[in-house]
Amino acid sequence: NAGVTQTPKFQVLKTGQSMTLQCAQDMNHEYMSWYRQDPGMGLRLIHYSVGAGITDQGEVPNGYNVSRSTTEDFPLRLLSAAPSQTSVYFCASSYSIWATTNEKLFFGSGTQLSVL
Amino acid sequence: GNSVTQMEGPVTLSEEAFLTINCTYTATGYPSLFWYVQYPGEGLQLLLKATKADDKGSNKGFEATYRKETTSFHLEKGSVQVSDSAVYFCALNNFNKFYFGSGTKLNVKP
């Protein structure tokens, strides 16, 4: 029963490098999302998806790209890393939040990213 | 817009003390409200939720009541344990987006 799996757990990048944070869920969830967690600021939504082929922006989308080619996977791409993107990143999924607003999120264990 | 404000921490209590963590929100429409808990090195886990005004969510001795008139969703527990030490996040869900407060760290001493 894997749930939401994020890789890698830790990553160090140099300014300007690109990378992809992976997120996969095995619960057949329609909704997937990415958050960043910064000290004193809680979690902020980066991008989200309500199904394969459908993505939308959250509160802080700049500098990040996403795609959703399958129900299971929702990778987050940093095209040109900047020190301001140093953060802890969480992927989260939910069965569906179209029909109701009371769905809970299932979180991965996070990726700690440092950009030097 | 949508936002969540919760009391800053850390909150330090002795075991068996009463806990209150304040949370207020701003939202359009009729959001659902949640409390999530985060233990060190882990992702967030749902603690409790309430979907409409006057609903009370409860779990593991924690309670919170959805108060539309005061736009609040305060978390309470009558007797905390050392194992309750964690960071607690208040959140709302509105139109497919979740909005989280900044988190309140709770330290419970034996």
Side-chain angles (χ1 to χ4, degrees), chain B:
Chain B
N2 298 283
S3 65
V4 176
T5 302
Q6 60 182 105
M7 61 188 291
E8 291 190 21
V11 174
T12 301
L13 297 173
S14 298
E15 204 164 24
E16 299 184 2
F18 185 87
L19 168 71
T20 299
I21 301 178
N22 291 335
C23 171
T24 57
Y25 68 91
T26 301
T28 55
Y30 303 94
S32 293
L33 301 177
F34 303 79
W35 277 100
Y36 280 82
V37 58
Q38 184 180 33
Y39 298 101
E42 299 182 6
L44 280 67
Q45 304 171 25
L46 179 66
L47 180 60
L48 55 83
K49 66 181 182 182
T51 60
K52 60 184 186 295
D54 300 325
D55 269 3
K56 177 185 283 188
S58 61
N59 186 26
K60 300 180 181 179
F62 291 89
E63 293 182 341
T65 301
Y66 190 146
R67 300 287 188 200
K68 190 170 177 62
E69 65 275 15
T70 55
T71 61
S72 64
F73 193 55
H74 304 320
L75 182 68
E76 297 182 335
K77 186 175 186 182
S79 176
V80 294
Q81 306 299 313
V82 173
S83 58
D84 294 327
S85 297
V87 181
Y88 292 82
F89 291 90
C90 186
L92 68 85
N93 178 352
N94 211 7
F95 300 112
N96 295 342
K97 296 182 181 181
F98 277 82
Y99 300 86
F100 288 84
S102 57
T104 302
K105 186 173 185 179
L106 171 65
N107 296 317
V108 181
K109 296 184 175 181

Side-chain angles (χ1 to χ4, degrees), chain A:
Chain A
N1 199 8
V4 179
T5 302
Q6 287 184 239
T7 56
K9 291 192 180 298
F10 302 94
Q11 183 70 49
V12 179
L13 293 177
K14 294 181 180 179
T15 297
Q17 287 185 315
S18 63
M19 81 157 296
T20 299
L21 307 185
Q22 301 291 344
C23 176
Q25 52 86 14
D26 62 357
M27 297 174 283
N28 202 31
H29 284 174
E30 292 186 11
Y31 181 90
M32 297 186 74
S33 53
W34 277 102
Y35 298 82
R36 59 178 291 172
Q37 183 179 27
D38 300 298
M41 301 189 74
L43 277 76
R44 292 181 292 169
L45 180 64
I46 304 171
H47 286 286
Y48 69 100
S49 169
V50 296
I54 306 170
T55 63
D56 204 348
Q57 297 181 351
E59 293 179 80
V60 288
N62 293 338
Y64 307 95
N65 277 357
V66 292
S67 60
R68 184 95 179 271
S69 57
T70 67
T71 299
E72 294 78 20
D73 300 300
F74 191 46
L76 179 72
R77 298 183 189 84
L78 283 70
L79 302 177
S80 178
S84 60
Q85 294 179 305
T86 294
S87 187
V88 179
Y89 291 84
F90 287 99
C91 179
S93 70
S94 180
Y95 177 67
S96 172
I97 61 173
W98 278 120
T100 176
T101 60
N102 67 355
E103 291 289 338
K104 75 170 187 176
L105 290 172
F106 293 79
F107 281 84
S109 57
T111 296
Q112 189 168 325
L113 176 67
S114 294
V115 183
L116 306 177

